[in-house]
Amino acid sequence: MTDQTLMWRIAGGSGDGIDSTSQNFAKALMRSGLDVFTHRHYPSRIRGGHTYVEVRAADQPVRSRGDGFNFLLALGDSFARSPQEGAYYGNEKVKPLAENLDDLNEGGVVVYDTGFFEEEDIAEIRLEERAQQEGWHVYPMDLRALAREHGREVMRNTAGVGATAALVGKDVSYFEELVEEAMSGEVMEANLTILEEAYEQASEFEFTHDLRVPTGSHETDQALMSGSNAIAYAALDSGCRFIAGYPMTPWTDVFTIMSQNLSDFGGIAEQVEDEIAAAALALGASHAGVKAMSGSSGGGFALMSEPLGLAEMTETPLVLVEAMRAGPSTGMPTKTEQADLEHVLYTSQGDSNRVVFAPGNLEEAYEQTRTAFQVAYDYQIPTIILYDQKLGGEMRNVGVDFFDREPDPSLGATLTEEEISEAAHHESGKFERFRHDPENGVSPRSIPGQTGGRFLASGNEHNTVGHISEDPDNRKAQMDRRMRKLEHVREELDGRDQSHQTRHGPADAEYGLLVWGSQQDTVFEAVDRLNAAGHDVKALGVSDMLPYPEAEVREFLESVRECVVVEMNATGQFRGLTQKELGQYGEKLSSLLKYDGEAFEPGEVVDGFESSIDGGQPAAGNMKFVPAAGD
Amino acid sequence: MSAFTGIGEDREIDQEEFTPGIEPQATWCPGCGDFGVLKALKGAMPEVGRTPDETLLVTGIGCSGKLSSYFESYGFHSIHGRALPVARAAKLANPGLEVIAAGGDGDGYGIGGNHFMHTARENHDITYIVFNNEIFGLTKGQTSPTSPKGHKSKTQPHGSAKDPVRPMSLSLASGASYIARTAAVNPRQAQEVLVEAIQHDGFAHIDFLTQCPTWNKDAKEYVPYTDVQDSEEFEFDTGDRREAAEAMYEAESRLYEGEVLTGRFYHDPDRPSYGEEKRAQGDVPEEPVAERYFGDGEWERTADELIDRHT
């Protein structure tokens, strides 16, 4: 094996520290100059149960998980063992090894903890036989004993990292440095000893593999972050100083990051009784003059459709986050999907409008969250950041300078008391907060407590000062004004130097791939491979859902013969949206769908595209191809 | 200079300032108890010394929800049952605001029951007026959470098999620090109680009995009533939870026997409000967060504060 890309999978039991170990591992590789990307897989349970994290690393940009993986560190599931006989979790202890072998690439490397896997377990899964067939290189090590000897059993993760470092030819000092930073005292000493000891032990093997990870270099300082980090930091940089929420996977990540940091930024974080309250609190705070957000995942967001509509009708700026997971109902809490698009676009009654962004990667998550705040406050309309479990949980390195932005504490179309005194008032003294006439649909607001700014914000249809009104002329004028906002948002977004939509591949390519949200970078990698294999393909990653970037998508679709829409749901929701918004292209658009809870791998998109242009179904049964109308 | 010069203004306040100089005429029915709430609230404001500009009235939906249309202040007419979460956040965002929330018995004890329980538990510094007329009025007379057992309506043709909610007991158990019951037919007491409730630093819940002449003709007009503070039968310490609980239980039971007991039932002036707790913990800054957006103070950047953790 001569592949210089490391696709390292650490597998163990939930609650055994797989996540934190993989983060440190990725960070050490990043510090050594490599580009890294992590992919998390975990079950919906707290302790025990098979979990893994993949870290892909190379000396060139990596923006997606790979196809399969080439290095397995199988630690064993400590919670599969019961203190009493008759284990709680039955035969699961061998899963971290057994469950992962199917995806391990030919010629891959395996390190497993002999302290956890007994000989009969190994015999049962026919490891030796399969290793011969697949050309795997197997290095059994008693990591548990090593950890116990110098510290505690839980430190076997550290031992595994030390062994990995030796086997891929990575200087152990990068890992030592992280241990020294993250720990202190005896714990640090023990971990350092275990790290070095495992490194030494692994170095003594006779290496039969030749997977060597190079040392790269970065032009700027790098940070390792998740999509959830990017969203939360963008919110803070946007001047968001209020969040209310209720925990629900995977939205909890953003909620937690905000809650842990807001007080240091002089803000307020509230965990409340339910999601209706959460969104209503964010609304109340925003009404009172604080930039605010809330959010949830599908099921919790369903409860927010009431306050969402109220925000639209009262024209209270509000930013909501929707972190998709597999549904319907509570679905699969820890698995990824892109099936809440229609839910987010259309929930709430009446001709209710909102702006929906669907970032495709870490940078877009940051950029679009900033845009979401700016648009919400400039246009007094709810905005939604729609992403998924994959984007929220995956980590990548990104230049530190990317985050070096000026804060944006602007409340948008909000008046100062001086401006209020010059603004139009009804003869009664009430401020005309909902005037019909503004060209872009936005009537500037006042904040409770400001002298002379009194008005009524009402979820009922209302007149210019906010009083309930069912007058037909007023109704039409108010509706028209509120609906004008979306046109102006679209114009503003189209007028920006940098579009939210991302093009990839040769401009004159014959075939197109259309993709939205977190699958963008995976599809872009697939495009490169397809073109290298002689196809003629380009892709467009769409990140604005509503208002829809009609002109850009139309131009793209006009330029290709056929186009496959790649998305993680069973009903082709984005393809449907595209056809609805553009009013055509039913004949041109087909769908490559995946809805088994896992994100696409680039190779799957390659496979899906190749089989689709032949008119067949993908070879891998975990995907579905839906042809264009009339095909 | 403060961005909110309307807050903390010290001057004579006339209750007429709280009458909107604008249509609409109230859409409440003639003889509706809701007029009594409006009158008492207008009367209370000059006494507590708060102006329309520094007051935010958040209402729910229904006849009670229209209070914000007929009362001049900053208003937020929200949605059924959700007035409290909106009000809570506004108070946290700007503690200088006088935040009053109002809703009906269906709104507050039914659809908004969860918010009621948690707002009381957290002891937010909000005054919460619940218009209790034992009926759904605006939807034309359906059984409400406070309708008596056996109450017949179009949606409960055989009579309700449910015991009514005990609002004050619920409030006390949940953690409200000021609880009173008053009635629209008792304007003097209503205004007195409202003044106390608004001045109270914590969650003040007023179960405000309002007659519905259109849909609940059977319901007493809440007269004659007895003021528990003036009654020799009811000598209890409003600062003692156990005694207050007993008095509430009595009052709530006897309401359905035709005897109306009103007055102050519980008052704990010492329990700090949620906002105070949060500020004491350092969880929320001393200065109103809302004020910052109008100042020219420094805004922290994540790049300076947080990015190091990731490198």
Side-chain angles (χ1 to χ4, degrees):
Chain A
M1 193 168 82
T2 52
D3 192 348
Q4 295 297 289
T5 296
L6 173 66
M7 293 180 287
W8 180 78
R9 185 183 281 194
I10 178 173
S14 265
D16 274 340
I18 303 297
D19 222 33
S20 55
T21 306
S22 64
Q23 278 181 34
N24 283 334
F25 183 73
K27 199 185 257 192
L29 296 183
M30 174 187 83
R31 286 183 175 186
S32 81
L34 296 176
D35 285 316
V36 293
F37 180 95
T38 76
H39 162 75
R40 286 164 90 193
H41 169 105
Y42 57 109
S44 302
R45 54 197 252 190
I46 309 302
R47 299 208 138 184
H50 171 235
T51 181
Y52 68 76
V53 181
E54 260 170 41
V55 178
R56 187 180 178 195
D59 57 355
Q60 54 191 332
V62 280
R63 305 176 69 91
S64 162
R65 67 183 295 198
D67 297 327
F69 64 101
N70 58 17
F71 192 118
L72 174 64
L73 172 62
L75 288 172
D77 180 352
S78 67
F79 294 99
R81 294 175 303 127
S82 163
Q84 291 91 31
E85 279 311 304
Y88 302 131
Y89 304 129
N91 58 3
E92 290 196 6
K93 64 178 176 172
V94 75
K95 274 190 174 175
L97 182 58
E99 289 276 303
N100 293 292
L101 293 177
D102 287 350
D103 298 331
L104 179 61
N105 294 343
E106 206 179 307
V109 179
V110 182
V111 174
Y112 72 90
D113 189 347
T114 56
F116 268 88
F117 304 108
E118 286 156 34
E119 271 178 40
E120 56 262 45
D121 299 330
I122 302 299
E124 199 177 318
I125 60 171
R126 302 183 298 112
L127 178 63
E128 210 170 312
E129 192 186 326
R130 292 182 69 183
Q132 269 185 4
Q133 282 166 5
E134 303 281 344
W136 294 334
H137 308 269
V138 183
Y139 302 97
M141 293 178 75
D142 195 344
L143 302 172
R144 179 161 73 146
L146 207 161
R148 278 179 171 170
E149 187 188 341
H150 301 286
R152 289 187 296 123
E153 183 175 312
V154 70
M155 297 174 187
R156 64 191 185 280
N157 294 353
T158 305
V161 167
T164 303
L167 288 161
V168 299
K170 203 77 206 161
D171 191 336
V172 75
S173 64
Y174 291 110
F175 302 93
E176 287 170 344
E177 211 177 277
L178 269 168
V179 169
E180 282 161 3
E181 281 174 28
M183 304 167 193
S184 60
E186 278 179 29
V187 175
M188 178 190 79
E189 292 301 332
N191 271 287
L192 279 177
T193 309
I194 290 164
L195 185 71
E196 284 150 17
E197 182 68 21
Y199 188 88
E200 290 307 317
Q201 276 190 22
S203 302
E204 284 162 20
F205 285 118
E206 190 185 320
F207 290 3
T208 55
H209 69 280
D210 61 357
L211 175 63
R212 291 288 179 279
V213 179
T215 298
S217 68
H218 293 294
E219 283 172 12
T220 57
D221 290 341
Q222 299 289 301
L224 182 72
M225 282 201 195
S226 69
S228 298
N229 284 129
I231 291 169
Y233 293 173
L236 292 169
D237 282 346
S238 297
C240 174
R241 292 295 180 271
F242 188 97
I243 193 169
Y246 186 88
M248 184 170 183
T249 305
W251 130 266
T252 312
D253 282 350
V254 168
F255 184 36
T256 306
I257 298 165
M258 291 296 283
S259 300
Q260 287 176 342
N261 294 306
L262 255 180
S263 64
D264 295 336
F265 284 78
I268 302 171
E270 285 286 283
Q271 184 183 321
V272 297
E273 59 270 25
D274 60 35
E275 285 90 347
I276 309 177
L281 265 104
L283 200 57
S286 184
H287 181 72
V290 173
K291 283 180 128 173
M293 77 190 293
S294 183
S296 191
S297 294
F301 188 81
L303 296 185
M304 294 182 171
S305 72
E306 272 187 23
L308 175 69
L310 181 62
E312 208 246 323
M313 193 52 144
T314 58
E315 303 183 59
T316 311
L318 176 65
V319 177
L320 295 176
V321 161
E322 216 267 37
M324 292 180 281
R325 65 191 215 184
S329 191
T330 35
M332 296 197 285
T334 60
K335 304 297 174 198
T336 197
E337 203 167 81
Q338 293 178 296
D340 291 349
L341 175 60
E342 291 181 344
H343 175 49
V344 162
L345 290 173
Y346 308 126
T347 189
S348 190
Q349 63 274 35
D351 290 313
S352 164
N353 278 326
R354 74 291 320 255
V355 175
V356 181
F357 298 108
N361 54 40
L362 185 72
E363 288 93 339
E364 282 193 1
Y366 182 88
E367 287 297 348
Q368 286 200 296
T369 302
R370 288 203 39 140
T371 308
F373 273 94
Q374 180 244 313
V375 167
Y377 283 80
D378 281 355
Y379 290 88
Q380 302 172 354
I381 190 169
T383 62
I384 297 168
I385 301 147
L386 179 65
Y387 67 109
D388 60 19
Q389 185 266 355
K390 172 187 183 286
L391 176 56
E394 70 196 14
M395 304 195 90
R396 240 192 52 218
N397 61 299
V398 57
V400 167
D401 52 2
F402 178 81
F403 297 93
D404 194 10
R405 312 288 184 93
E406 285 308 311
D408 177 15
S410 164
L411 283 180
T414 306
L415 302 178
T416 61
E417 288 189 337
E418 201 179 355
E419 290 164 332
I420 291 169
S421 68
E422 288 157 16
H425 282 68
H426 182 266
E427 58 188 20
S428 66
K430 259 198 154 79
F431 167 55
E432 291 202 82
R433 188 257 178 274
F434 301 105
R435 286 181 66 91
H436 298 154
D437 45 4
E439 198 262 327
N440 67 350
V442 185
S443 340
R445 64 175 184 152
S446 60
I447 301 293
Q450 287 181 315
T451 296
R454 290 191 309 282
F455 71 98
L456 177 62
S458 178
N460 281 57
E461 188 57 273
H462 43 261
N463 61 20
T464 57
V465 295
H467 276 289
I468 298 172
S469 167
E470 295 186 350
D471 173 71
D473 293 338
N474 172 74
R475 162 68 174 178
K476 183 161 184 301
Q478 295 288 14
M479 281 296 292
D480 287 347
R481 179 176 62 76
R482 287 191 298 262
M483 291 191 299
R484 272 207 300 281
K485 292 181 186 180
L486 279 191
E487 293 163 32
H488 287 271
V489 172
R490 184 70 264 157
E491 259 174 44
E492 186 190 321
L493 294 174
D494 284 343
R496 293 190 172 193
D497 295 343
Q498 190 92 44
S499 164
H500 286 155
Q501 283 56 252
T502 314
R503 290 151 195 272
H504 193 85
D508 58 351
E510 186 181 4
Y511 289 98
L513 287 170
L514 193 63
V515 59
W516 69 285
S518 72
Q519 301 306 286
Q520 283 190 27
D521 286 333
T522 308
V523 166
F524 295 164
E525 185 171 335
V527 164
D528 293 342
R529 289 197 215 172
L530 284 165
N531 287 326
H535 295 282
D536 190 17
V537 192
K538 63 179 173 178
L540 181 67
V542 183
S543 302
D544 293 345
M545 299 292 109
L546 185 73
Y548 193 83
E550 206 183 302
E552 261 187 281
V553 180
R554 193 182 297 279
E555 184 206 325
F556 178 81
L557 292 181
E558 288 294 338
S559 74
V560 294
R561 201 168 84 180
E562 284 175 42
C563 182
V564 184
V565 188
V566 182
E567 52 186 322
M568 293 189 294
N569 59 60
T571 52
Q573 295 187 10
F574 183 65
R575 184 186 62 170
L577 176 68
T578 303
Q579 287 177 214
K580 172 179 173 273
E581 292 286 342
L582 302 182
Q584 62 184 110
Y585 301 119
E587 312 293 314
K588 216 172 201 176
L589 296 173
S590 56
S591 285
L592 181 65
L593 306 171
K594 193 177 177 192
Y595 43 93
D596 61 356
E598 299 287 339
F600 282 98
E601 292 179 4
E604 291 177 329
V605 179
V606 169
D607 167 31
F609 177 82
E610 286 180 334
S611 49
S612 73
I613 55 169
D614 295 340
Q617 286 293 329
N622 59 348
M623 293 181 291
K624 185 168 92 177
F625 179 70
V626 183
D631 268 17
Chain B
M1 194 174 91
S2 165
F4 302 101
T5 57
I7 292 176
E9 202 179 334
D10 187 19
R11 62 171 173 82
E12 281 289 304
I13 297 159
D14 187 286
Q15 65 166 330
E16 272 316 298
E17 292 178 43
F18 296 90
T19 303
I22 183 175
E23 295 281 311
Q25 295 288 312
T27 55
W28 293 325
C29 306
C32 175
D34 294 3
F35 287 106
V37 185
L38 178 61
K39 188 165 183 290
L41 186 60
K42 281 185 190 172
M45 296 312 289
E47 276 199 63
V48 296
R50 304 303 299 253
T51 65
D53 274 335
E54 60 187 330
T55 304
L56 174 64
L57 175 63
V58 187
T59 55
I61 291 288
C63 295
S64 61
K66 294 187 174 178
L67 183 71
S68 50
S69 295
Y70 314 139
F71 180 79
E72 181 66 17
S73 70
Y74 275 96
F76 199 111
H77 178 230
S78 67
I79 39 179
H80 212 194
R82 317 298 170 210
L84 286 175
V86 173
R88 266 150 64 178
K91 184 71 184 182
L92 288 171
N94 193 346
L97 287 175
E98 189 61 60
V99 179
I100 300 169
D105 45 89
D107 184 283
Y109 305 145
I111 190 166
N114 195 24
H115 309 312
F116 175 48
M117 179 169 94
H118 287 279
T119 309
R121 171 171 80 102
E122 292 168 13
N123 197 33
H124 289 268
D125 185 13
I126 291 171
T127 302
Y128 186 38
I129 307 166
V130 183
F131 296 47
N132 182 0
N133 59 7
E134 302 175 23
I135 197 81
F136 281 125
L138 203 57
T139 51
K140 302 192 172 181
Q142 297 79 15
T143 308
S144 95
T146 49
S147 297
K149 192 172 183 177
H151 179 265
K152 286 188 182 175
S153 69
K154 284 180 197 163
T155 52
Q156 304 261 286
H158 305 291
S160 168
K162 301 169 189 177
D163 272 326
V165 159
R166 295 175 170 274
M168 292 191 289
S169 299
L170 189 62
S171 190
L172 183 72
S174 302
S177 48
Y178 181 92
I179 304 166
R181 168 175 272 175
T182 188
V185 292
N186 186 1
R188 190 192 50 79
Q189 184 201 47
Q191 185 171 317
E192 205 177 282
V193 159
L194 269 167
V195 169
E196 276 185 1
I198 296 169
Q199 284 173 339
H200 174 70
D201 291 331
F203 187 62
H205 166 220
I206 298 167
D207 186 61
F208 205 121
L209 302 171
T210 55
Q211 67 276 14
C212 177
T214 303
W215 298 110
N216 206 7
K217 288 189 172 48
D218 297 344
K220 45 261 151 211
E221 288 188 339
Y222 306 119
V223 275
Y225 60 84
T226 306
D227 187 329
V228 290
Q229 263 76 49
D230 295 340
S231 160
E232 281 183 14
E233 190 196 347
F234 287 92
E235 283 187 8
F236 67 98
D237 178 0
T238 55
D240 185 297
R241 293 183 71 89
R242 187 180 292 270
E243 289 183 23
E246 275 177 26
M248 286 174 188
Y249 191 85
E250 270 304 302
E252 284 162 343
S253 303
R254 291 205 211 166
L255 183 68
Y256 296 99
E257 292 156 13
E259 189 178 354
V260 185
L261 299 167
T262 62
R264 191 191 315 111
F265 284 83
Y266 184 66
H267 189 190
D268 176 1
D270 299 326
R271 184 180 167 200
S273 73
Y274 184 66
E276 281 173 59
E277 298 262 22
K278 297 263 284 187
R279 284 185 287 277
Q281 277 180 2
D283 206 9
V284 167
E286 286 294 332
E287 291 299 306
V289 182
E291 191 78 61
R292 283 188 69 185
Y293 294 88
F294 294 91
D296 43 15
E298 285 284 300
W299 284 79
E300 309 87 337
R301 311 185 316 162
T302 59
D304 299 335
E305 305 287 329
L306 299 173
I307 307 301
D308 281 353
R309 297 180 196 172
H310 302 274
T311 58

